[in-house]
Amino acid sequence: MPDLYGFDRETTVVPRDPGRYDGELHEGWRIGLGINGGLLLAVAGRALAAEFGGGQGTHGEPIAISGYYLSAARPGAVSVRAEALRRGRTLSTGTASVRQGDEERLRVLATYGDLGRNHADVRTSATPPQMPPPEECAGSETAPAGFRKHAPLLDRFELRLDPATAGWTTGAPSGRGLIQGWFRLPDGREPDPLALLLAVDALPPVSLDLGVAGWTPTLELTVHVRARPAPGWLRLKHSTRNFAHGYLEEDAEVWDSAGRLVAQSRQLARVRS
Amino acid sequence: MPDLYGFDRETTVVPRDPGRYDGELHEGWRIGLGINGGLLLAVAGRALAAEFGGGQGTHGEPIAISGYYLSAARPGAVSVRAEALRRGRTLSTGTASVRQGDEERLRVLATYGDLGRNHADVRTSATPPQMPPPEECAGSETAPAGFRKHAPLLDRFELRLDPATAGWTTGAPSGRGLIQGWFRLPDGREPDPLALLLAVDALPPVSLDLGVAGWTPTLELTVHVRARPAPGWLRLKHSTRNFAHGYLEEDAEVWDSAGRLVAQSRQLARVRS
């Protein structure tokens, strides 16, 4: 499929039987030994998009999607089973299961719809994260070498960290629990709702800004996609307010180039320190 | 079962076959024509608790639970199918389906564990909501008569609204998207993790504080239970920051009498105005 962008090629799912899809997890999406959780969610999300109609005007776009991570996904073949639970007039809800061999990696619940429906009433009080333009922010190449070695996925997208929230890269975490940055896919591939499922999990773990360097595997990640993103850079903000009792929540916001809050997500991660 | 508190009696599930439970949704938990979403989640949560061991020391307590609401639940008989997806050493993950007759009402994914495990490292930056003591807050009896008539569930627990966020009860919503209050179950029934699944959905829709009186059905509700709550009143805070494009998110925090953030939740609701 030479005409696809990298992200689309590497999240492709091929229908096999009704409700069954085959995919391939590329080594390049690895972080540590496992595949990035957002990428895995996007693979499941693509199978559900196919199940619910696949295009604009049907129910081909994720509105809310929750993934529960059962075991670490590895590079290699993957199978997705997608099932509709309810097909409604404006929304459809379904479930998906991502497996590798005998092991289930991810179980998903999601509601899909059409983000093109027009609603004029907007009363957002959230404000976009303030940070210098991308060209004044630090690229992934400035991440600590020890971190980069274990995170080939850093080459899969462009990240530019806000210097004000990147103290942890030089051994000076702020302790606030906040990491911000710019994000875009390479090759001019513009963002869409599916790419937002990746974007919400693209920044380094916010625990790094608390000075906690340990592994923080995701138990659960829920994403709300609130609008189709405009072309251009996305602004990401990850924060945590309750690092406690062996777990932390990570809240993510994704803002598009038009200044709209296009996705919100929260994940619960375990602290292994 | 005369020795049970009302909440426990009315969320009881009786094992029928392996992984199958029967329950009964009491008319008293109705809001509008449907049963309260938090109560329904607690019923599913109780079946999963039974499936994963039921007691402390096993995996009988919800850590993360996500409910996708498929159709409005009505008072009457309900059946729950619970299934373990993974039983781990410290956590187990499962799914549950709540049905009434041929209709599925709710599909759930959840991770259960033991909240009694000790973790000393707490770096919470969140601060508890400030409000006057319960005796200086407005009880549910001050809610608008038109609202009370459609919400018998207001008699199922004690709510005391912070006057600073209750302007909407007298036609003067603040427009901030914030409602706070105190919560407890009646009869001296102290809070536990299961009761938190109800507590996160107990306050009136935060859209009322935006001056939006329409119905806001929940699509998805995810709860993270972070600690066993101490006895006494709970403090609830509901807020929204992104009322847009026909949807709003509602973030809830539950604080216990010991000043700990014991649960965080977020739901995505549709705006029907």
Side-chain angles (χ1 to χ4, degrees), chain A residues 176-191:
Chain A
R176 289 175 300 177
L178 174 66
I179 297 182
Q180 298 183 161
W182 299 90
F183 171 95
R184 69 177 176 191
L185 290 171
D187 313 322
R189 204 290 196 177
E190 295 295 355

Side-chain angles (χ1 to χ4, degrees), chain A residues 66-130:
Chain A
S66 299
Y68 279 67
Y69 293 83
L70 297 162
S71 57
R74 312 295 183 194
V78 76
S79 68
V80 186
R81 193 191 63 210
E83 180 194 354
L85 301 175
R86 178 176 181 275
R87 295 181 190 268
R89 192 171 53 86
T90 55
L91 295 170
S92 292
T93 298
T95 183
S97 168
V98 179
R99 306 185 71 94
Q100 292 186 300
D102 288 344
E103 296 272 349
E104 185 166 13
R105 301 307 190 197
L106 176 68
R107 183 66 67 100
V108 169
L109 282 173
T111 293
Y112 273 58
D114 175 6
L115 286 163
R117 290 162 54 92
N118 194 37
H119 298 274
D121 192 3
V122 174
R123 310 184 195 196
T124 304
S125 60
T127 54
Q130 297 303 304

Side-chain angles (χ1 to χ4, degrees), chain B residues 154-172:
Chain B
L154 289 179
D155 296 325
R156 279 291 186 277
F157 43 73
E158 287 188 74
L159 260 192
R160 305 281 175 87
L161 294 184
D162 176 3
T165 66
W168 56 273
T169 62
T170 53

Side-chain angles (χ1 to χ4, degrees), chain A residues 123-173:
Chain A
R123 310 184 195 196
T124 304
S125 60
T127 54
Q130 297 303 304
M131 52 183 135
E135 53 277 15
E136 295 173 26
C137 290
S140 302
E141 66 280 3
T142 66
F147 187 81
R148 277 182 59 78
K149 199 177 76 174
H150 296 292
L153 93 160
L154 289 179
D155 295 326
R156 278 292 185 277
F157 42 74
E158 286 187 75
L159 260 192
R160 305 281 175 89
L161 295 184
D162 176 4
T165 66
W168 57 272
T169 63
T170 54

Side-chain angles (χ1 to χ4, degrees), chain A residues 63-66 68 70-71 83 85-86 90-91 93 95 104 107-111 117 119 121-127 176 210-212 219-220 222 224 226-227 240-249 251-253 260-261 264-268 270 273, chain B residues 63-66 68 70-71 83 85-86 90-91 93 95 104 107-111 117 119 121-127 176 210-212 219-220 222 224 226-227 240-249 251-253 260-261 264-268 270 273:
Chain A
I63 307 287
I65 182 165
S66 299
Y68 279 67
L70 297 162
S71 57
E83 180 194 354
L85 301 175
R86 178 176 181 275
T90 55
L91 295 170
T93 298
T95 183
E104 185 166 13
R107 183 66 67 100
V108 169
L109 282 173
T111 293
R117 290 162 54 92
H119 298 274
D121 192 3
V122 174
R123 310 184 195 196
T124 304
S125 60
T127 54
R176 289 175 300 177
L210 296 177
V212 176
L219 296 184
E220 178 269 329
T222 295
H224 297 167
R226 304 298 298 277
T240 188
R241 299 167 63 242
N242 195 25
F243 180 107
H245 313 298
Y247 297 89
L248 78 158
E249 99 284 14
D251 282 343
E253 294 178 6
R260 296 177 311 161
L261 179 48
Q264 292 169 290
S265 79
R266 178 175 288 166
Q267 63 174 268
L268 186 66
R270 273 175 93 172
S273 52
Chain B
I63 307 287
I65 182 166
S66 299
Y68 278 69
L70 296 162
S71 57
E83 180 194 355
L85 300 174
R86 178 175 181 273
T90 56
L91 295 171
T93 297
T95 183
E104 184 167 13
R107 183 67 69 100
V108 168
L109 281 173
T111 293
R117 290 162 53 92
H119 297 273
D121 193 3
V122 174
R123 311 185 194 194
T124 303
S125 61
T127 54
R176 289 175 299 177
L210 295 176
V212 175
L219 296 184
E220 178 268 329
T222 295
H224 297 167
R226 304 298 298 277
T240 188
R241 299 166 63 242
N242 195 24
F243 180 107
H245 312 298
Y247 297 89
L248 79 158
E249 99 284 16
D251 282 346
E253 294 178 7
R260 295 179 311 162
L261 179 49
Q264 292 170 289
S265 79
R266 179 175 286 166
Q267 64 174 268
L268 186 66
R270 273 175 93 173
S273 53

